[in-house]
Amino acid sequence: MSLEILTEMSNRYGRNDEYVLAGGGNTSYKENGILYVKGSGVALSEIIPEQFVALDIEKLLIMIKPDYHTEMSQAEKEDKALSDMMDARLSGEENKRPSIESVLHAMFPFSFVLHVHPALINGLTCSKNGKQTCKSIFDDKAVWIDLVKPGLELAQTCNREFKANTEKTGKHPQIVILQNHGIFISADTVEEIDGLMEYTVTKLKENIKETPSFDDAPYDSSLADAIEATLKSLYSNDNAATVLFCTNTQVLKYVKDKESFKPVSKSFSPDHIVNCKDEPLFIERQGDGSPVYSLASEALKTTEPSPCLDTQFTAYIKRKGFKPKIVAVQNLGFFALSETKQNAERAKALFLDSIKIATYAKSFGGEIPLNDEFAKFILNWEAEAYRSKQ
């Protein structure tokens, strides 16, 4: 019965794009020493009871002990923790891969856990004054976790913070807000989780000075169509790629010029990197509004010498080692690119999410994206590569 309740909560939050995009986030339930956690690569919106992974909680909690393989480097410990997490699966669960955050789920002394990445909350977690604002808004009702790599390092960091908070307040935290990541909420009932989420969202809305508004906006459709065709040929030799164009009043504020684009020029969270890579490509235009880059269409060529779009596209690949998922064009909008329509839709949704986060972050001192070292880690992290593939 409890798995059905967990499934209902997971589906409900997973189908609400204010809380979950592109299948991100995870949930869990505990009973009789067993943790039932969302399987990696499974979308919350569509998960069924059989797709949760059953793990032995006692085996998971071994990993947060201070003496857990202290002789190993952090990288070696992460590899060992992944192996130990797999070994914690119960018999019959071997064909499922649990969420990488399973250890953190096991640490909460409550029955249910919800972990999501709402844009409103990430407007706080991805802001310069996030930590101070979290303290002033929530006081001891929420615990802030500084930027730390997901997996074992996050679990061990949270363990230390949870203990300190419990010693201070006499109770285990139920609301945990993670820098450049999202929120964990834990309780013994789904109704209490809903109440805590409503409380968190309401308190943040009381402190928001600007809310994003994605109203329709006029645009040059012939230019957008030509750029779309060119990008499709650049992304795939056989034109099999999907390229989706998007513009609206809020997008136009961020593609006005390079300076306006800076707030969204880097990724805010692991989810953004998985779906959009760590950096979009921005295309400038001339002062008279004409395209600064000559395209495949002769009608769109400028009379002044300037690098071609394919030159910029190729230069991005050479510099980054992969193709851009987002290409923004000054005073026009942005294009989401991928091999499949589903992945292009995800890239589009996550870049719009970045715009939401950057807008909300203005209320908390301005945005702060992931640093380059952390972004590189996520780009090359086996766990995220697995999730992306799924």
Side-chain angles (χ1 to χ4, degrees):
M1 181 62 181
S2 296
L3 267 180
E4 280 69 27
I5 295 173
L6 175 62
T7 301
E8 183 279 329
M9 179 184 76
S10 303
N11 293 163
R12 179 160 49 85
Y13 278 96
R15 292 168 185 168
N16 187 336
D17 60 12
E18 291 298 313
Y19 293 99
V20 174
L21 290 173
N26 40 69
T27 57
S28 69
Y29 171 74
K30 302 178 190 71
E31 186 174 40
N32 298 326
I34 299 173
L35 175 74
Y36 299 89
V37 68
K38 184 185 86 79
S40 183
V42 181
L44 280 178
S45 59
E46 304 298 333
I47 196 168
I48 59 177
E50 293 75 20
Q51 291 175 313
F52 288 95
V53 188
L55 302 105
D56 185 319
I57 292 176
E58 187 175 346
K59 290 183 178 179
L60 290 173
L61 294 181
I62 290 173
M63 288 177 258
I64 60 171
K65 292 184 177 181
D67 60 351
Y68 181 72
H69 294 290
T70 54
E71 78 283 0
M72 293 182 176
S73 67
Q74 187 61 38
E76 290 172 331
K77 282 196 287 187
E78 293 287 349
D79 290 340
K80 176 60 176 170
L82 177 59
S83 174
D84 287 348
M85 185 178 71
M86 295 302 189
D87 290 342
R89 292 174 296 182
L90 300 189
S91 177
E93 302 285 278
E94 291 83 4
N95 64 334
K96 302 176 187 176
R97 176 162 175 159
S99 165
I100 196 64
E101 307 297 1
S102 295
V103 179
L104 182 48
H105 279 259
M107 288 163 49
F108 286 94
F110 305 101
S111 299
F112 292 94
V113 178
L114 170 70
H115 170 47
V116 287
H117 320 120
L120 174 62
I121 291 172
N122 275 342
L124 177 72
T125 75
C126 304
S127 67
K128 295 175 181 176
N129 298 334
K131 187 172 185 176
Q132 304 93 302
T133 305
C134 180
K135 176 63 177 176
S136 66
I137 292 177
F138 301 111
D139 195 20
D140 62 359
K141 291 183 175 66
V143 168
W144 174 276
I145 303 296
D146 289 330
L147 182 63
V148 62
K149 294 174 182 177
L152 178 65
E153 191 172 345
L154 174 60
Q156 292 179 331
T157 299
C158 286
N159 184 47
R160 293 191 292 271
E161 293 297 326
F162 291 175
K163 285 182 177 179
N165 184 80
T166 302
E167 290 175 3
K168 177 183 176 183
T169 66
K171 57 185 179 181
H172 194 284
Q174 291 182 264
I175 302 173
V176 181
I177 297 175
L178 300 88
Q179 181 183 337
N180 290 93
H181 193 146
I183 184 170
F184 276 84
I185 294 181
S186 186
D188 285 326
T189 68
V190 169
E191 290 76 17
E192 188 178 359
I193 282 184
D194 291 343
L196 290 170
M197 180 63 80
E198 183 179 359
Y199 161 78
T200 305
V201 168
T202 299
K203 295 292 285 185
L204 284 175
K205 284 182 176 179
E206 291 172 355
N207 290 271
I208 291 295
K209 299 173 184 176
E210 181 180 346
T211 300
S213 178
F214 296 135
D215 296 327
D216 291 340
Y219 66 95
D220 186 339
S221 58
S222 62
L223 175 59
D225 290 345
I227 295 177
E228 179 181 323
T230 303
L231 288 173
K232 183 176 288 190
S233 66
L234 289 171
Y235 199 86
S236 173
N237 292 332
D238 58 4
N239 284 334
T242 296
V243 179
L244 302 176
F245 175 66
C246 179
T247 194
N248 54 56
T249 53
Q250 197 72 30
V251 168
L252 288 173
K253 291 180 181 180
Y254 285 92
V255 299
K256 183 179 179 180
D257 50 40
K258 265 192 172 182
E259 188 64 28
S260 301
F261 194 69
K262 278 184 180 179
V264 292
S265 62
K266 297 284 186 178
S267 288
F268 286 118
S269 77
D271 262 13
H272 294 99
I273 292 178
V274 169
N275 291 281
C276 298
K277 298 299 186 184
D278 65 323
E279 185 180 324
L281 172 61
F282 183 73
I283 306 296
E284 287 185 284
R285 294 167 66 180
Q286 289 183 335
D288 62 1
S290 60
V292 76
Y293 300 105
S294 0
L295 306 171
S297 168
E298 287 293 324
L300 294 171
K301 286 186 177 180
T302 63
T303 55
E304 298 178 13
S306 58
C308 298
L309 176 59
D310 59 350
T311 303
Q312 297 301 304
F313 198 91
T314 302
Y316 179 101
I317 297 173
K318 184 176 181 180
R319 179 169 61 89
K320 304 293 295 182
F322 47 76
K323 301 169 187 175
K325 285 293 189 77
I326 299 294
V327 177
V329 178
Q330 184 179 7
N331 289 326
L332 182 66
F334 73 87
F335 299 81
L337 297 71
S338 192
E339 295 83 359
T340 67
K341 183 178 180 181
Q342 181 185 43
N343 287 341
E345 290 282 6
R346 287 181 171 184
K348 174 184 171 182
L350 265 294
F351 193 68
L352 285 171
D353 189 64
S354 290
I355 289 174
K356 286 183 181 180
I357 290 171
T359 304
Y360 287 132
K362 292 179 183 180
S363 302
F364 310 117
E367 79 291 335
I368 180 168
L370 290 172
N371 60 52
D372 291 342
E373 179 184 359
F374 195 100
K376 184 178 180 181
F377 167 77
I378 297 296
L379 281 169
N380 295 285
W381 193 28
E382 184 273 341
E384 289 293 21
Y386 175 88
R387 181 162 73 94
S388 179
K389 183 179 178 181
Q390 295 302 106

